[in-house]
Amino acid sequence: MKTGRVAFGRMEAVSFGKPVGDAITEEVARFDAQRVFLMISGTLNRETDEIDKLRRALGNKVAGEFDSMAPHTPRGDVIRATEAARAADVDMIVTFGGGSITDGAKAVQLCLANEIREQGEMDKLRAVITSDGTVSLPAIKAPRVPQITIPTTLSGGEFSAISGVTDESIHVKELFRHPDIIPRAVILDPEPTTQTPEWLFLSTGVRAVDHCVEGVCSNEAHPFGDAQALQGLSLLARGLPRVKSNPEDMEARLDCQIGTWMSMAPLASGVPMGASHGIGYVLGAVFDIPHGHTSCIMLPYVMRWNKPFNADRQELASVAMGSPGEDLSDLLDTFIGGLGMPRSLGAVDVRPEHFQRIAEQSMDTPWIPRNPRRIDGPADVVEILQLAV
């Protein structure tokens, strides 16, 4: 008999299909926020009028801004954003941009609450991961400043209470967790995503596919996560090619956004990810490869390596993608290639001489120990990497 426990997150609302200006006005009023701190995409700020429209919607409630969050959310940028927010005495954070900004704001929430002022002090916020993948949370103060997120990519981090932050001094991506750092509201408006570069929108869409697939294929999967992840996978499998074919298809973009929301149900309800995510964390932190691209490269090969141990679960994913009976690894490879995404480690200049370092560092992520096919050591990770050459 299955056993488990689904802990529902502390997110209060998701608005979808409504223009950003209307939705943000309603959400900020609901919290009675008066001093809003904007953490925003520098590119959107400099090259489009999207941020100006956000400012106009918020009026004199904008108390400060930060538009310099680098990819992979480095600690240094988190501290700089925290100091700017602290100086502005803010009572809400609104993010507008990609996943690095979303994660950065979650970390800023913790830094504000715990009086963190220097990079080294962030160590006291960090989750501790044991060799079996169990996560132990430190005793820290809960954040007091709520976050509202307007995502322009499809990575899905806005739907989790996890912040991935890179310690740039050692090139390691670390996890910061607290149930209260999940954004209190998320606004899904497809219109601003037309400003997102095609490669970034589509590759982060594959990241969402990765959430669905690894969630469904986990040994710890449960019906609640399955139901949402399989529907999310279906929406993404249809929506991403439609966006590739017609970038102005707003219905397809919204389908991808909703599919991304649903893709996070397994992770948000306690189902661990697997080796695709574990290896991807290292590829991102060490080689500065975008996480969308790490999923494009690793997911099919991880499924191939895992298949002898979870072929029945992989078939569920093939059905959701509209191709029952087709090998999931081959199906993903064709799907990702059709989106024009990189398909090998060589395509992103990761070579066999790097594999041992990647394998050893991957073992310290929370996901490698929970991969459905047991990974006993770095040699098994190297075996997966060799498939992706």
Side-chain angles (χ1 to χ4, degrees):
M1 180 182 297
K2 283 185 177 292
T3 64
R5 177 176 182 270
V6 175
F8 292 99
R10 298 179 184 176
M11 179 177 290
E12 297 181 15
V14 177
S15 167
F16 56 93
K18 182 180 291 187
V20 163
D22 295 341
I24 195 64
T25 301
E26 292 176 7
E27 295 298 341
V28 169
R30 191 164 60 86
F31 286 95
D32 194 28
Q34 301 300 317
R35 299 188 61 78
V36 177
F37 186 67
L38 301 183
M39 290 184 64
I40 49 183
S41 161
T43 302
L44 287 178
N45 197 20
R46 292 187 302 270
E47 300 180 12
T48 78
D49 65 350
E50 296 294 341
I51 306 301
D52 283 338
K53 289 189 286 188
L54 178 64
R55 292 189 190 102
R56 288 195 295 271
L58 292 171
N60 60 8
K61 293 185 177 182
V62 177
E65 298 182 3
F66 184 84
D67 73 349
S68 303
M69 186 61 65
H72 304 296
T73 319
R75 280 191 180 198
D77 287 351
V78 170
I79 294 299
R80 283 186 282 275
T82 299
E83 288 305 307
R86 183 178 286 122
D89 190 27
V90 302
D91 60 5
M92 172 170 281
I93 301 172
V94 171
T95 72
F96 196 163
S100 295
I101 298 168
T102 302
D103 275 8
K106 289 190 264 186
V108 167
Q109 290 185 58
L110 288 176
C111 289
L112 288 172
N114 291 275
E115 293 298 324
I116 303 299
R117 297 177 182 274
E118 297 180 1
Q119 292 187 48
E121 294 177 340
M122 292 182 69
D123 287 346
K124 66 183 71 172
L125 306 176
R126 189 178 55 208
V128 177
I129 304 165
T130 61
S131 59
D132 65 355
T134 302
V135 177
S136 175
L137 301 182
I140 55 177
K141 293 180 180 177
R144 300 181 300 271
V145 177
Q147 175 177 338
I148 295 176
T149 289
I150 307 160
T152 57
T153 62
L154 301 172
S155 296
E158 59 273 10
F159 297 107
S160 85
I162 300 172
S163 172
V165 176
T166 299
D167 184 342
E168 58 265 52
S169 67
I170 56 175
H171 300 287
V172 172
K173 191 158 192 177
E174 302 168 320
L175 298 183
F176 296 82
R177 303 185 185 213
H178 192 284
D180 289 332
I181 64 172
I182 193 168
R184 300 286 286 279
V186 174
I187 296 170
L188 302 178
D189 178 2
E191 192 68 39
T193 71
T194 60
Q195 306 285 358
T196 304
E198 180 187 78
W199 73 268
L200 182 57
F201 187 85
L202 296 178
S203 67
T204 55
V206 176
R207 185 68 169 178
V209 168
D210 198 349
H211 293 317
C212 293
V213 170
E214 289 216 302
V216 168
C217 293
S218 170
N219 291 341
E220 300 171 57
H222 52 63
F224 177 82
D226 287 351
Q228 296 193 60
L230 290 170
Q231 175 64 11
L233 182 56
S234 179
L235 288 169
L236 289 158
R238 297 193 307 267
L240 290 168
R242 287 166 57 201
V243 173
K244 173 74 172 175
S245 175
N246 177 14
E248 301 304 316
D249 187 337
M250 292 301 126
E251 288 293 334
R253 287 181 177 272
L254 184 58
D255 280 351
C256 292
Q257 290 183 307
I258 294 174
T260 297
W261 173 18
M262 302 181 83
S263 80
M264 294 298 292
L267 184 59
S269 59
V271 179
M273 299 291 98
S276 179
H277 278 73
I279 294 169
Y281 271 30
V282 179
L283 293 174
V286 177
F287 297 94
D288 201 30
I289 300 169
H291 277 310
H293 282 171
T294 68
S295 290
C296 290
I297 294 164
M298 293 312 308
L299 180 60
Y301 300 112
V302 169
M303 290 301 108
R304 184 172 301 169
W305 195 79
N306 285 344
K307 186 175 181 179
F309 292 78
N310 64 357
D312 56 334
R313 302 298 298 179
Q314 292 195 24
E315 172 61 11
L316 295 176
S318 294
V319 171
M321 294 185 72
S323 298
E326 187 168 343
D327 177 83
L328 181 60
S329 175
D330 291 341
L331 178 59
L332 289 166
D333 186 72
T334 301
F335 176 77
I336 294 166
L339 297 175
M341 296 294 108
R343 290 299 313 110
S344 70
L345 290 169
V348 292
D349 203 29
V350 175
R351 300 181 298 277
E353 56 264 34
H354 300 133
F355 288 0
Q356 190 62 31
R357 177 186 181 184
I358 296 168
E360 291 174 359
Q361 205 161 312
S362 296
M363 294 300 298
D364 294 328
T365 69
W367 308 134
I368 291 294
R370 311 282 284 278
N371 189 66
R373 177 178 175 180
R374 180 177 170 137
I375 294 177
D376 290 316
D380 288 339
V381 179
V382 169
E383 195 173 299
I384 298 171
L385 293 170
Q386 288 171 339
L387 295 174
V389 172

